[in-house]
Amino acid sequence: MKRQFLSLFMLAVALTAFSWGQKGHDVTAFIAERHLTPAAKAAVDSLLGGKSMVYWANWLDNASHTPEYAYTKTWHYKNIDEGERYEEAKANPAGDAVTAVKAQIETLSNPGATAAQSELAMKILVHVVGDMHQPMHMGHATDLGGNRVKVRFFGRDNNLHSVWDSSIAESGHRWSYTEWADQVDRVTPEEVESLTDGSVDSWAKETMNVAASVYAFFRPGENISYNEVARWTPTVEMQLLRGGLRLAHILNTLFDSDYAATHAPAYVPAR
Ligand SMILES: [Zn+2]
C-alpha cells in the first residue's frame, strides 16, 4: 500500500514537472472550444471521433512517458537561456514546443495526411499550444525551465517550474475548468482579435518575455506566499486565455475557409 502510494506520488511529481497542471490544459482547451466557428467545431469533432478537445487536453503528458510516443518528450517546452535572443536560440534537434506546434499545423493542413495522422496531430496540438503559454516552459535550459530553482511555497519545498505549473493557479482560484473559462474568458470580439494577432513565433517570444519577468521577480530560496500569488494570478489567467483563444484561432484558420479569408494564419507551412 505504501509502495503504491509512493509510486502514485512519483507519478504526480513526474506529471507536474511536465506541463501546465491538468487543469491548465483543460481550461485552455475549453476556452478554445468556446471560440471555434461551427465549421471548425465540426472538423475537430470528426477528427476526435466525437470526443472533445478537453477530453484529450492532457493526453500528451501521459503519452510522452510511453515508448510509443517517447519522441514527443521534448515537445512540451522550448528553452532559451538568459541573454539569448529568441531568434538566435538553438532549435532542439529532438523538437520543441514551437516546432511541435508548427509540425501539427503542417499535418492538419496537408490534404494527403491520413485520418490517423490528423487525429494524432489534433491531440498533440491541443496540448502543446497550452504548454507554449506556461512561462516556465519557455524558461532557461541551465535550470531546466525553473525545475532547478528551489523555492518554497507557503513554507513547503518546491521549485519555480512546479509552482508555475499549478501551485499559483490552484491557490489563486479554487475553480473547476469550466468556472475558470467562465471567469477568464470575458473578452470582447475586439480583444479576441488583438489577442490572436501575431504568429506562433511571436506568441512564443511573448511567453519568453513573461518568463524573463518571472525570473527577475522570484529569487532562489524565497518563500512564495499570499502576496506573490496575488501578484501573479492575473498573469496565469492571461496566459490560459491567450492559449485558448490562439488554439481556436489556429483551428478556425485551418478548418473554416470564411474565417481564413479574413484572418492571417499563425503559421504558414512551407510547401
Ligand atoms: Zn505538457
Side-chain angles (χ1 to χ4, degrees):
M1 189 64 184
K2 204 173 231 175
R3 174 172 292 180
Q4 203 172 26
F5 176 77
L6 192 68
S7 57
L8 273 176
F9 175 74
M10 296 303 284
L11 178 71
V13 169
L15 289 179
T16 48
F18 230 58
S19 83
W20 268 140
Q22 297 192 334
K23 199 177 285 178
H25 283 288
D26 289 349
V27 174
T28 301
F30 192 57
I31 290 174
E33 272 178 21
R34 292 157 51 123
H35 288 270
L36 289 180
T37 68
K41 190 186 179 311
V44 170
D45 279 352
S46 114
L47 277 174
L48 294 178
K51 289 260 196 308
S52 75
M53 290 201 289
V54 173
Y55 183 90
W56 292 109
N58 283 292
W59 172 79
L60 194 66
D61 274 341
N62 224 323
S64 290
H65 287 89
T66 66
E68 190 179 359
Y69 298 104
Y71 64 91
T72 63
K73 226 171 212 166
T74 58
W75 294 12
H76 302 252
Y77 58 89
K78 180 179 173 74
N79 287 144
I80 300 153
D81 271 322
E82 197 167 6
E84 209 175 2
R85 292 183 57 229
Y86 176 82
E87 292 77 8
E88 290 154 4
K90 275 192 217 79
N92 188 333
D96 58 45
V98 176
T99 58
V101 167
K102 291 177 179 175
Q104 309 325 305
I105 293 175
E106 241 158 74
T107 301
L108 290 169
S109 58
N110 177 4
T114 65
Q117 287 169 333
S118 301
E119 179 184 345
L120 178 60
M122 263 306 306
K123 292 177 187 172
I124 295 174
L125 185 72
V126 165
H127 183 85
V128 180
V129 171
D131 274 344
M132 213 179 83
H133 287 83
Q134 202 281 49
M136 289 296 98
H137 282 244
M138 302 298 267
H140 300 159
T142 40
D143 59 32
L144 304 180
N147 273 299
R148 284 190 182 148
V149 180
K150 302 291 171 214
V151 292
R152 283 178 304 141
F153 193 78
F154 287 90
R156 284 171 175 239
D157 287 342
N158 210 322
N159 67 70
L160 195 56
H161 188 102
S162 160
V163 161
W164 270 89
D165 269 345
S166 53
S167 306
I168 295 175
E170 294 288 357
S171 298
H173 307 293
R174 299 260 172 213
W175 293 332
S176 66
Y177 77 84
T178 55
E179 289 166 341
W180 265 93
D182 281 343
Q183 299 306 320
V184 167
D185 177 16
R186 289 171 169 248
V187 279
T188 64
E190 293 73 30
E191 287 167 324
V192 173
E193 293 294 323
S194 100
L195 287 168
T196 54
D197 197 28
S199 64
V200 171
D201 282 305
S202 73
W203 300 339
K205 203 171 155 179
E206 178 191 68
T207 308
M208 184 194 100
N209 288 329
V210 176
S213 60
V214 169
Y215 276 111
F217 184 92
F218 291 93
R219 308 319 311 174
E222 88 170 84
N223 183 37
I224 298 165
S225 180
Y226 297 104
N227 275 338
E228 293 74 23
V229 169
R231 159 72 179 79
W232 290 96
T233 293
T235 305
V236 172
E237 294 168 3
M238 177 51 84
Q239 290 307 102
L240 292 174
L241 177 64
R242 283 171 171 158
L245 295 178
R246 289 166 180 176
L247 176 57
H249 173 74
I250 289 171
L251 296 168
N252 288 337
T253 49
L254 281 170
F255 298 127
D256 184 336
S257 52
D258 290 340
Y259 185 95
T262 53
H263 294 80
Y267 173 67
V268 184
R271 286 259 179 261

